[in-house]
Amino acid sequence: DTGFLTPDGAPREMFLPYRTLVEAIKKREYVGELAMEGATRNAMLVSDTDCCFILWSPVPVTEQFYLGDHVQATDVWGRHVDLDRIETPFGPEHRLQLDKWPIIIRGIDTEIARWRMGLSMEQQRLDSVIGLPQQLQVRFNNPFAISVSGQIDLVAPSIFANETESSTLYAEASSEVTVPIDVLLRPDATSQETPVRVVVYLNTAPPKRFSLVRPLRIGNDDVEFETAYRVSETDELWLDLDAINHTDDPTSFDCQLFIPERRNERIQIISVENRKTRTIVLPRASELMHKSLWLRCSQVGTRRILNYRIDIEPESDNVSPSSEESDP
């Protein structure tokens, strides 16, 4: 009864944030949540005339996105919040610091917000096969009563052989389409989760462009490697390669370790039925600190190549190898 007002009717501390949020959401309809890169939660609310975007995060995070040329932000006390405008190769974006206190953004381009909300990348994983085209499916929802055409680019220079893969886009009014995009992996594409930027160009009047980032994992559920290293008291780097086979059929790997300013090391791991560990011992571990090793493992009899970057840092526990550990 006295959450926002004192018993005599005076406003308490939380009255102003409550009033600010009520003003933001009243006479507006909740239409969904935008997928963001961080842990950010948000709500998109629209009326017949405008659009309001409310964001907050359980932990401090920085988000960067584009929702129009005339956006303005305030906090729950009604104070102005700076939106840093950043020029990127994919068009302008706004950078915003967020925490558990909501930020309210107004002046949003409703069309971009709705189009962005209706876009998703259906796959979250690509197999790590080299030299063989694969296909990603981008789902696009056109929420408006007009048809739209344009182009979708997938940008990921660290994993795509062509850096950018593209496909044309056409969606009838109030329809949902799936746009196939052929991609080819780089030979050194790391087997890990990698951000892929989805850039959309719409042939509207005036033309519109926006982008968002989606995670894509390189590899599959059949085989994988886990790596660990430690430094001995005699300045040796012991690198464990743990080959894991999740299938019922034994498999083998031919692995090369590329070491900066040293000759490559090669090791074969034969007939892995479940899990098998091999160890490579490198002298002068101190020379490898703050450097990155590249492990390239080819699965025998397939075109699958697993790549891993191993960053050597001095914070690693310096544990002397014992006689019970796996033989090099």
Side-chain angles (χ1 to χ4, degrees), residues 278-291:
R278 298 294 301 274
T279 302
I280 299 175
V281 179
L282 302 176
R284 304 186 304 282
S286 56
E287 296 179 358
L288 300 175
M289 292 299 129
H290 304 295
K291 294 185 178 180

Side-chain angles (χ1 to χ4, degrees), residues 44 78 81 154 182 207 209 276:
M44 186 72 67
V81 174
L154 300 182
D182 293 328
R209 174 176 61 177
K276 185 175 288 188

Side-chain angles (χ1 to χ4, degrees), residues 229-231 235 237 284-292 311-316 318:
Y229 67 88
R230 60 232 187 263
V231 178
D235 197 31
L237 183 76
R284 304 186 304 282
S286 56
E287 296 179 358
L288 300 175
M289 292 299 129
H290 304 295
K291 294 185 178 180
S292 180
D311 297 322
I312 308 301
E313 300 294 341
E315 290 79 11
S316 176
N318 292 336

Side-chain angles (χ1 to χ4, degrees), residues 151-199:
Q151 178 177 309
I152 294 181
D153 292 348
L154 300 182
V155 184
S158 64
I159 60 173
F160 292 159
N162 299 324
E163 296 191 3
T164 300
E165 304 286 2
S166 304
S167 183
T168 57
L169 161 71
Y170 180 78
E172 296 284 354
S174 304
S175 68
E176 182 179 290
V177 298
T178 298
V179 182
I181 303 179
D182 293 328
V183 300
L184 191 67
L185 289 180
R186 290 168 52 108
D188 60 347
T190 304
S191 300
Q192 64 180 16
E193 188 172 274
T194 302
V196 175
R197 182 171 290 273
V198 184
V199 187

